[in-house]
């Protein structure tokens, strides 16, 4: 839950809205059920439908880090991006533009981790360059079993959950 609070604080997310949240998923049945507790957010996809459907170009992929962002000044609040996101990761900010996780790009550009990663008390969140095979996140993905959410959606998500 620290990650959710850190995000809201760092990004001044309005009361009643979240850029990230905690999800609980139970699988299996007695006697071997399992539960996954994970933090969810925009998956910063390689094939983001939110970018493809945006009529103004407000939703775009930032060349720095391939992070999916929204330019509030260009957004007309049409909600096409909200409808196209299979992760339900966007909301309309009270000021009228689509809002979502930015991976705290302002922090990342300074060499810092996103706020959610920086405050994680269990160190279960990691951030880095998936395109660099020597990066910590690439090494973790190579050494452990993991999964992405909704791979069948064809969005090529860049968020992975390690088992």
């Amino acid at each position: 839950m620290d990650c959710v609070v850190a995000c809201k604080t760092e990004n001044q997310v309005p009361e009643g809205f979240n850029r990230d949240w905690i999800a609980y998923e139970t699988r299996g049945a007695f006697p071997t059920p399992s539960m996954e507790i994970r933090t969810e957010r925009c998956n910063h996809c390689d094939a983001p439908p939110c970018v493809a459907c945006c009529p103004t170009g407000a939703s775009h992929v930032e060349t720095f880090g391939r992070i999916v962002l929204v330019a509030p000044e260009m957004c007309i609040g049409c909600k096409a991006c909200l409808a196209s996101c299979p992760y339900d990761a966007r909301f309309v900010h009270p000021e009228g533009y689509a809002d979502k996780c930015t991976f705290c790009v302002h922090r990342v550009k300074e060499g810092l981790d996103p706020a959610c990663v920086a405050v994680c008390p269990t160190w279960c969140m990691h951030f880095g360059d998936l395109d660099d095979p020597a990066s910590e996140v690439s090494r973790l993905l190579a050494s452990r079993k993991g999964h992405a959410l909704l791979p069948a959606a064809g969005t090529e998500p860049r968020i992975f959950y390690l088992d």
Side-chain angles (χ1 to χ4, degrees):
M1 188 58 98
D2 290 355
C3 55
V4 175
V5 174
C7 175
K8 288 181 80 71
T9 303
E10 178 72 28
N11 297 290
Q12 301 173 0
V13 177
E15 189 65 35
F17 298 95
N18 289 306
R19 288 181 170 189
D20 65 340
W21 58 94
I22 305 297
Y24 304 86
E25 184 177 346
T26 304
R27 296 186 204 103
F30 181 82
T32 58
S34 66
M35 179 181 222
E36 180 179 44
I37 303 170
R38 65 180 176 258
T39 177
E40 293 184 9
R41 65 192 35 78
C42 170
N43 279 246
H44 298 279
C45 306
D46 276 342
C50 56
V51 171
C53 76
C54 182
T56 66
S59 288
H60 64 282
V61 178
E62 174 74 29
T63 54
F64 177 87
R66 293 187 3 213
I67 298 171
V68 178
L69 297 176
V70 177
E73 68 282 358
M74 293 174 63
C75 181
I76 58 174
C78 72
K79 302 180 187 171
C81 61
L82 276 73
S84 72
C85 178
Y87 308 102
D88 199 26
R90 291 172 173 243
F91 63 91
V92 176
H93 191 281
E95 293 179 9
Y97 59 88
D99 200 357
K100 57 174 279 314
C101 168
T102 64
F103 269 150
C104 295
V105 69
H106 60 282
R107 291 176 54 91
V108 173
K109 285 182 176 180
E110 293 178 12
L112 302 170
D113 280 334
C116 59
V117 175
V119 303
C120 183
T122 61
W123 302 287
C124 66
M125 296 177 69
H126 303 272
F127 181 82
D129 186 354
L130 289 172
D131 297 324
D132 176 3
S135 71
E136 178 189 16
V137 293
S138 291
R139 288 193 316 269
L140 283 168
L141 280 172
S143 68
R144 292 177 54 189
K145 185 178 176 188
H147 66 279
L149 298 180
L150 305 173
T155 63
E156 300 178 41
R158 294 179 64 83
I159 298 281
F160 296 92
Y161 298 92
L162 300 175
D163 298 332

